[in-house]
Amino acid sequence: MHFQSFLSKNPLVLAPLAGYTDLAFRLLCRETGAGICVTEMISCHGLIYGQKNTLVLLNSAPEDRPLGVQLFGADPEAMGRAAALINPKQADFIDINMGCPVRKVTRKGAGSALMKNPKLAAEIITAVVRQAAMPVTVKFRSGWTQDAITAPDFARMAEQAGAAAVTVHGRTWSQGFSGSADWNVIKAVKQAVSIPVIGNGDILSYQDSIAMRNETGCDGVMIGRGSLGNPWVFSPSGRPATLSGRMPVLRRHLELAREYLPAEKMLFRIKNHLARYLAGLPGASRMRQDIMAASDLTTLWEYMETLQAKA
Ligand SMILES: Cc1cc2nc3c(=O)[nH]c(=O)nc-3n(C[C@H](O)[C@H](O)[C@H](O)COP(=O)(O)O)c2cc1C
């Protein structure tokens, strides 16, 4: 299917967030209004070698669509081989990570380091497009540093190399996650290409997503940190003010985690998500401590029952 048709149906995209956007959280965000989701970033080498820790990141379910599988790597040949391994039954598009600022990734020339090497980036996109059985999108930043806002040129390069859409996070590599996202760069990218553009950076509410679309003309809006502890960010009514209003989503998250994740192995991850739902509530720090103290999933579930009774 044409990538634009996914966005026309629902322009809200859950960002890839390593350590967070597993199958349970993606399904939850879809239930609260997200249209498109992307997996956590997946190493092309891990995929090629069939590493167990990598393959779990591909876990999905029929309701988890449209889905993008995000790949990272710096070698066109390996990226192409990894792309060929993604079955259209598993995903609707492949997203290439050219925005990650983490040293572990950039040291090897992947993630946002590719913004310093557009020639290699083009070779990677070309290789992935050639091998993939589905559309390919590219996610990147404003540029490497403030003196070189290269995103519009980079987007043109991606379009020429065959990308079906691009996502731009309005921060440079040197900014990391500090400062604020520059939506003017998203607007400039939109004006530079004719493929769909997804804007990303600092969306904390549904209303912010409308503002970003109006200000930049972007076709879709990707939400990352704003969804943590707040999957209601995808709906106009936003996060309920009370614990009782939030409880159904907390319980649902736990239910989805039990059903779809190796939950005991991911206990810390689940507790981390649940604790975030309590932001701004009276007694939140005590409740957070209780959640963190739970030694297994059954204890966590029982604690949720007591919270539910009190809510
Ligand atoms: C904890 C965390 C993990 C992330 N993991 C990824 C990732 O795997 N792939 C990726 O392209 N970006 C990743 N990002 C970047 C986000 O997708 C997004 O571009 C960035 O957070 C800006 O959007 P936001 O302001 O809505 O959070 C991550 C960000 C955070 C905070």
Side-chain angles (χ1 to χ4, degrees):
M1 200 175 353
H2 214 262
F3 193 83
Q4 176 64 48
S5 62
F6 300 137
L7 292 170
S8 306
K9 243 178 151 178
N10 182 340
L12 297 181
V13 186
L14 174 65
L17 296 172
Y20 292 96
T21 52
D22 51 43
L23 175 57
F25 190 61
R26 294 198 303 268
L27 290 174
L28 186 74
C29 289
R30 290 181 191 280
E31 290 178 11
T32 52
I36 303 172
C37 294
V38 187
T39 65
E40 302 170 58
M41 60 179 170
I42 294 177
S43 148
C44 65
H45 301 290
L47 200 59
I48 292 168
Y49 295 119
Q51 282 166 0
K52 240 169 100 187
N53 291 347
T54 303
L55 296 180
V56 287
L57 300 174
L58 287 174
N59 281 353
S60 185
E63 314 85 272
D64 186 33
R65 307 295 289 264
L67 177 69
V69 167
Q70 193 189 58
L71 297 179
F72 75 96
D75 172 24
E77 206 258 333
M79 286 290 277
R81 276 172 65 196
L85 295 172
I86 313 285
N87 189 315
K89 286 193 188 124
Q90 287 174 301
D92 302 277
F93 64 100
I94 291 174
D95 185 56
I96 309 177
N97 181 329
M98 297 194 174
C100 182
V102 174
R103 257 190 69 79
K104 206 171 83 183
V105 172
T106 56
R107 204 176 50 207
K108 297 195 174 142
S112 59
L114 286 163
M115 293 205 76
K116 287 195 295 187
N117 193 346
K119 191 170 159 285
L120 178 59
E123 286 171 22
I124 291 172
I125 300 168
T126 305
V128 173
V129 168
R130 195 177 299 136
Q131 298 280 336
M134 59 199 81
V136 175
T137 61
V138 184
K139 179 170 180 283
F140 50 90
R141 288 183 166 238
S142 305
W144 184 253
T145 60
Q146 288 302 112
D147 339 314
I149 301 299
T150 54
D153 286 339
F154 203 81
R156 268 190 287 266
M157 172 280 290
E159 180 174 38
Q160 274 160 22
V166 291
T167 300
V168 58
H169 173 196
R171 280 188 179 81
T172 59
W173 164 83
S174 62
Q175 279 179 297
F177 289 93
S178 67
S180 52
D182 182 355
W183 292 5
N184 287 323
V185 178
I186 298 169
K187 188 172 177 179
V189 168
K190 175 64 192 166
Q191 285 163 358
V193 292
S194 52
I195 50 177
V197 173
I198 300 169
N200 171 233
D202 299 349
I203 300 294
L204 298 179
S205 69
Y206 181 90
Q207 288 71 23
D208 285 350
S209 77
I210 306 279
M212 181 187 267
R213 291 184 72 197
N214 288 342
E215 278 180 39
T216 68
C218 65
D219 305 273
V221 174
M222 178 180 275
I223 306 179
R225 291 163 300 169
S227 69
L228 297 178
N230 187 14
W232 301 274
V233 72
F234 297 104
S235 56
S237 51
R239 182 160 64 186
T242 62
L243 178 60
S244 63
R246 295 182 195 178
M247 262 333 270
V249 161
L250 268 95
R251 288 171 59 93
R252 183 67 181 141
H253 193 143
L254 199 47
E255 213 171 80
L256 288 166
R258 290 218 294 196
E259 188 171 347
Y260 291 106
L261 303 182
E264 292 297 351
K265 239 169 88 182
M266 292 202 168
L267 188 64
F268 176 77
R269 181 187 283 220
I270 298 163
K271 292 199 285 192
N272 183 17
H273 267 294
L274 293 184
R276 288 171 179 268
Y277 292 123
L278 306 170
L281 293 177
S285 65
R286 183 64 228 254
M287 290 188 281
R288 255 189 221 122
Q289 278 168 20
D290 290 342
I291 286 175
M292 287 304 179
S295 55
D296 55 37
L297 212 61
T298 311
T299 319
L300 197 55
W301 186 260
E302 282 164 7
Y303 180 66
M304 285 297 136
E305 298 288 329
T306 61
L307 275 189
Q308 172 78 39
K310 273 194 253 166

